[in-house]
Amino acid sequence: MTRGGLRERKKAQTRKRLADTAFAMFRERGFDAVTVAEIADACDIAVSTLFAYFPSKESLVFDQEAAHEQRLDSVVRDRAAGATILDALEAHLAAPKPRRPGEPSREEFLDLVHATPALRDHFMRTQRTWETTLAQAIAEEAGLPDDDLQARALARFALDVGALAEESPDPAHALRILFARLRNGWADLDRTPTARPDTGSR
């Protein structure tokens, strides 16, 4: 292995150790009760070194956000020949998500985020960043302007559909239903309600 490759591997190992240690401490004591200095000390590194890997305390929980953003972009741009943008997004969201050794489960991650206002806020900001990246990829692939409203709407819907499906007892089934609705529209649900019979005055 080259010196550069070894250096990158060690950096990746340090980054993972910081994220795993922080998550374990947050789960045990709560996000607000743990300081960045305590996390750095537990990993035997300086606080300045920690911030060289993670720009904020919240980003220790979202250590895969940049990789996820890149995947969303490539899912659209590098989709198989003949696949629509919706096909590619649905397949990506439905695919099993491999867990690295020591990585928290999706349920553990969501429990911590939902219980912590600062993490919920961070996640909302992060999702808006993902949305912008995905919308730009959709717009370019569809031959639309970068700020096209349709591309932005589809990006937001797709990300929200993924989050909604994860809350379902059967996420795969929920994804199929929700993406079918994105493909086919809402016309069959947008009917005029049947008038209620007049029961007369009382």
Side-chain angles (χ1 to χ4, degrees), residues 53-113:
Y53 286 91
F54 295 96
S56 68
K57 182 179 174 183
E58 289 81 6
S59 63
L60 282 156
V61 177
F62 298 91
D63 62 307
Q64 293 295 301
E65 62 186 50
H68 182 66
E69 183 179 354
Q70 292 171 359
R71 282 194 295 272
L72 286 172
D73 183 80
S74 64
V75 159
V76 173
R77 298 183 191 276
D78 302 332
R79 66 190 186 280
T84 67
I85 291 172
L86 278 175
D87 290 340
L89 288 171
E90 181 178 6
H92 170 67
L93 292 171
K97 305 300 187 290
R99 284 175 60 190
R100 299 173 300 168
E103 189 174 43
S105 68
R106 184 65 180 171
E107 291 75 18
E108 292 171 331
F109 172 81
L110 291 175
D111 284 347
L112 179 63
V113 172

Side-chain angles (χ1 to χ4, degrees), residues 40-166:
D41 186 61
C43 293
D44 196 27
I45 65 170
V47 171
S48 58
T49 302
L50 184 151
F51 280 123
Y53 286 91
F54 295 96
S56 68
K57 182 179 174 183
E58 289 81 6
S59 63
L60 282 156
V61 177
F62 298 91
D63 62 307
Q64 293 295 301
E65 62 186 50
H68 182 66
E69 183 179 354
Q70 292 171 359
R71 282 194 295 272
L72 286 172
D73 183 80
S74 64
V75 159
V76 173
R77 298 183 191 276
D78 302 332
R79 66 190 186 280
T84 67
I85 291 172
L86 278 175
D87 290 340
L89 288 171
E90 181 178 6
H92 170 67
L93 292 171
K97 305 300 187 290
R99 284 175 60 190
R100 299 173 300 168
E103 189 174 43
S105 68
R106 184 65 180 171
E107 291 75 18
E108 292 171 331
F109 172 81
L110 291 175
D111 284 347
L112 179 63
V113 172
H114 289 163
T116 312
L119 292 178
R120 291 201 305 270
D121 291 345
H122 183 89
F123 179 72
M124 292 301 296
R125 293 193 300 271
T126 297
Q127 183 147 314
R128 295 289 78 86
T129 299
W130 294 344
E131 178 187 309
T132 298
T133 296
L134 180 56
Q136 289 175 345
I138 292 170
E140 289 183 21
E141 288 295 299
L144 299 169
D146 286 348
D147 59 350
D148 183 77
L149 184 61
Q150 297 172 89
R152 288 170 52 198
L154 179 53
R156 179 169 299 186
F157 290 159
L159 291 174
D160 286 347
V161 158
L164 280 172
E166 288 184 352

